[in-house]
Amino acid sequence: TRPVGTVNGDAADEPAIWREPSRPEASLSVATDKKAGLYVYGLDGGVRDFVPAGRVNNVDLIDLGGDGVIVVASDRNDEAHARLLVYRLDARAAKLVPLGAGEGGDGEAYGVCLMTRGGNLDAFSVLKHGAIHQVRLAITPEGVSGRPMRAMQVSTQTEGCVADPRSGTLYVGEEDRGIWAFQTATQ
């Protein structure tokens, strides 16, 4: 891809890839500039959109079919209170449309991943100090709300995560130790 705007400072991070099933060449990736915001790239590496969002660390997306493609980024602008920035990816225009934000827990936001299961959309907010929060997101015309479902903890610094909707398992990377597997809350 074209370099992010803050190229001198370990800023490019964490891509999430949306695949256009009927025209794979129209697929897009959303990636973070950890010091400035979110980029949308085409497969040619060219910038299609940039959304200034300050310090965002990780990003994930999920295709909800008729409800569109939802993108969530971990917002660490306030290191004491993590937030989940929620967007809709307008795939035709290759642009991010802001929908709102949900609470991500107390501490500095780091990783984020998404899962749908049983008709629910859950975000997993992974905080730098080892806390992990499962947040049930509701997206309405009025905005975004999040309901805490479960909190988990590991001993040291965490980073990324991935959730498996088939088994309901959340996998979280603890940087100095390895990968943890957690069962997610369903109700």
Side-chain angles (χ1 to χ4, degrees), residues 1 15-18 27-31 39-43 61:
T1 62
I17 300 168
W18 173 75
S27 298
L28 301 166
S29 66
V30 179
Y39 282 89
V40 177
Y41 293 100
L43 290 186
L61 61 78

mmCIF file of all heavy atoms in Angstrom, residues 1 15-18 27-31 39-43 61:
data_model
loop_
_atom_site.group_PDB
_atom_site.id
_atom_site.type_symbol
_atom_site.label_atom_id
_atom_site.label_comp_id
_atom_site.label_asym_id
_atom_site.label_seq_id
_atom_site.Cartn_x
_atom_site.Cartn_y
_atom_site.Cartn_z
ATOM 1 N N THR A 1 0.836 -1.187 0.000
ATOM 2 C CA THR A 1 0.000 0.000 0.000
ATOM 3 C C THR A 1 0.880 1.248 0.000
ATOM 4 O O THR A 1 2.075 1.177 0.302
ATOM 5 C CB THR A 1 -0.885 0.048 1.255
ATOM 6 O OG1 THR A 1 -0.064 0.104 2.414
ATOM 7 C CG2 THR A 1 -1.826 -1.131 1.309
ATOM 8 N N PRO A 15 -4.270 -4.578 9.346
ATOM 9 C CA PRO A 15 -5.282 -4.481 8.291
ATOM 10 C C PRO A 15 -6.446 -5.451 8.535
ATOM 11 O O PRO A 15 -6.300 -6.480 9.169
ATOM 12 C CB PRO A 15 -4.504 -4.896 7.044
ATOM 13 C CG PRO A 15 -3.508 -5.883 7.562
ATOM 14 C CD PRO A 15 -3.129 -5.383 8.948
ATOM 15 N N ALA A 16 -7.600 -5.068 8.020
ATOM 16 C CA ALA A 16 -8.770 -5.949 7.970
ATOM 17 C C ALA A 16 -9.205 -5.972 6.511
ATOM 18 O O ALA A 16 -9.296 -4.914 5.873
ATOM 19 C CB ALA A 16 -9.886 -5.426 8.867
ATOM 20 N N ILE A 17 -9.467 -7.138 5.969
ATOM 21 C CA ILE A 17 -9.730 -7.271 4.533
ATOM 22 C C ILE A 17 -11.186 -7.642 4.288
ATOM 23 O O ILE A 17 -11.709 -8.581 4.889
ATOM 24 C CB ILE A 17 -8.793 -8.329 3.909
ATOM 25 C CG1 ILE A 17 -7.341 -7.885 4.115
ATOM 26 C CG2 ILE A 17 -9.109 -8.538 2.438
ATOM 27 C CD1 ILE A 17 -6.314 -8.938 3.827
ATOM 28 N N TRP A 18 -11.820 -6.861 3.405
ATOM 29 C CA TRP A 18 -13.182 -7.165 2.958
ATOM 30 C C TRP A 18 -13.080 -7.683 1.540
ATOM 31 O O TRP A 18 -12.525 -7.035 0.662
ATOM 32 C CB TRP A 18 -14.081 -5.935 3.012
ATOM 33 C CG TRP A 18 -15.414 -6.204 2.391
ATOM 34 C CD1 TRP A 18 -16.430 -6.922 2.935
ATOM 35 C CD2 TRP A 18 -15.856 -5.796 1.111
ATOM 36 N NE1 TRP A 18 -17.489 -6.995 2.058
ATOM 37 C CE2 TRP A 18 -17.158 -6.302 0.931
ATOM 38 C CE3 TRP A 18 -15.274 -5.049 0.077
ATOM 39 C CZ2 TRP A 18 -17.889 -6.089 -0.235
ATOM 40 C CZ3 TRP A 18 -16.009 -4.834 -1.076
ATOM 41 C CH2 TRP A 18 -17.297 -5.347 -1.220
ATOM 42 N N SER A 27 -12.262 -5.790 -4.027
ATOM 43 C CA SER A 27 -12.089 -5.968 -2.581
ATOM 44 C C SER A 27 -11.292 -4.796 -2.004
ATOM 45 O O SER A 27 -10.559 -4.109 -2.717
ATOM 46 C CB SER A 27 -11.372 -7.288 -2.299
ATOM 47 O OG SER A 27 -12.139 -8.364 -2.771
ATOM 48 N N LEU A 28 -11.449 -4.585 -0.698
ATOM 49 C CA LEU A 28 -10.822 -3.455 -0.014
ATOM 50 C C LEU A 28 -10.153 -3.913 1.272
ATOM 51 O O LEU A 28 -10.531 -4.944 1.839
ATOM 52 C CB LEU A 28 -11.883 -2.406 0.337
ATOM 53 C CG LEU A 28 -12.672 -1.809 -0.817
ATOM 54 C CD1 LEU A 28 -13.890 -1.054 -0.293
ATOM 55 C CD2 LEU A 28 -11.785 -0.896 -1.652
ATOM 56 N N SER A 29 -9.204 -3.127 1.733
ATOM 57 C CA SER A 29 -8.659 -3.355 3.073
ATOM 58 C C SER A 29 -8.752 -2.055 3.859
ATOM 59 O O SER A 29 -8.650 -0.960 3.298
ATOM 60 C CB SER A 29 -7.215 -3.867 3.028
ATOM 61 O OG SER A 29 -6.354 -2.897 2.506
ATOM 62 N N VAL A 30 -8.986 -2.208 5.156
ATOM 63 C CA VAL A 30 -9.016 -1.073 6.083
ATOM 64 C C VAL A 30 -7.839 -1.290 7.024
ATOM 65 O O VAL A 30 -7.656 -2.389 7.551
ATOM 66 C CB VAL A 30 -10.340 -1.026 6.876
ATOM 67 C CG1 VAL A 30 -10.346 0.151 7.842
ATOM 68 C CG2 VAL A 30 -11.541 -0.975 5.934
ATOM 69 N N ALA A 31 -7.034 -0.252 7.211
ATOM 70 C CA ALA A 31 -5.839 -0.380 8.046
ATOM 71 C C ALA A 31 -5.672 0.860 8.906
ATOM 72 O O ALA A 31 -6.159 1.935 8.573
ATOM 73 C CB ALA A 31 -4.612 -0.582 7.167
ATOM 74 N N TYR A 39 -7.301 4.104 7.180
ATOM 75 C CA TYR A 39 -7.203 4.162 5.720
ATOM 76 C C TYR A 39 -8.047 3.054 5.113
ATOM 77 O O TYR A 39 -8.132 1.952 5.660
ATOM 78 C CB TYR A 39 -5.760 3.949 5.265
ATOM 79 C CG TYR A 39 -4.880 5.153 5.416
ATOM 80 C CD1 TYR A 39 -4.188 5.391 6.587
ATOM 81 C CD2 TYR A 39 -4.744 6.057 4.365
ATOM 82 C CE1 TYR A 39 -3.371 6.503 6.728
ATOM 83 C CE2 TYR A 39 -3.930 7.171 4.484
ATOM 84 C CZ TYR A 39 -3.241 7.387 5.662
ATOM 85 O OH TYR A 39 -2.436 8.482 5.789
ATOM 86 N N VAL A 40 -8.627 3.345 3.956
ATOM 87 C CA VAL A 40 -9.235 2.322 3.110
ATOM 88 C C VAL A 40 -8.372 2.255 1.857
ATOM 89 O O VAL A 40 -8.108 3.281 1.213
ATOM 90 C CB VAL A 40 -10.694 2.664 2.734
ATOM 91 C CG1 VAL A 40 -11.262 1.600 1.801
ATOM 92 C CG2 VAL A 40 -11.555 2.801 3.980
ATOM 93 N N TYR A 41 -7.912 1.032 1.531
ATOM 94 C CA TYR A 41 -7.055 0.809 0.369
ATOM 95 C C TYR A 41 -7.758 -0.099 -0.630
ATOM 96 O O TYR A 41 -8.478 -1.027 -0.241
ATOM 97 C CB TYR A 41 -5.758 0.100 0.775
ATOM 98 C CG TYR A 41 -4.824 0.895 1.642
ATOM 99 C CD1 TYR A 41 -4.790 0.688 3.014
ATOM 100 C CD2 TYR A 41 -3.952 1.830 1.093
ATOM 101 C CE1 TYR A 41 -3.908 1.401 3.820
ATOM 102 C CE2 TYR A 41 -3.069 2.544 1.890
ATOM 103 C CZ TYR A 41 -3.055 2.319 3.252
ATOM 104 O OH TYR A 41 -2.188 3.018 4.051
ATOM 105 N N GLY A 42 -7.478 0.132 -1.910
ATOM 106 C CA GLY A 42 -7.867 -0.809 -2.942
ATOM 107 C C GLY A 42 -6.798 -1.875 -3.059
ATOM 108 O O GLY A 42 -5.719 -1.773 -2.462
ATOM 109 N N LEU A 43 -7.067 -2.907 -3.853
ATOM 110 C CA LEU A 43 -6.078 -3.979 -4.016
ATOM 111 C C LEU A 43 -4.827 -3.514 -4.744
ATOM 112 O O LEU A 43 -3.801 -4.182 -4.680
ATOM 113 C CB LEU A 43 -6.702 -5.170 -4.729
ATOM 114 C CG LEU A 43 -7.729 -5.949 -3.921
ATOM 115 C CD1 LEU A 43 -8.163 -7.198 -4.686
ATOM 116 C CD2 LEU A 43 -7.207 -6.336 -2.556
ATOM 117 N N LEU A 61 -13.304 -6.032 10.766
ATOM 118 C CA LEU A 61 -14.555 -5.799 10.048
ATOM 119 C C LEU A 61 -15.319 -7.095 9.931
ATOM 120 O O LEU A 61 -14.758 -8.187 10.041
ATOM 121 C CB LEU A 61 -14.314 -5.146 8.685
ATOM 122 C CG LEU A 61 -13.485 -5.879 7.632
ATOM 123 C CD1 LEU A 61 -14.265 -6.965 6.919
ATOM 124 C CD2 LEU A 61 -12.995 -4.872 6.607
#
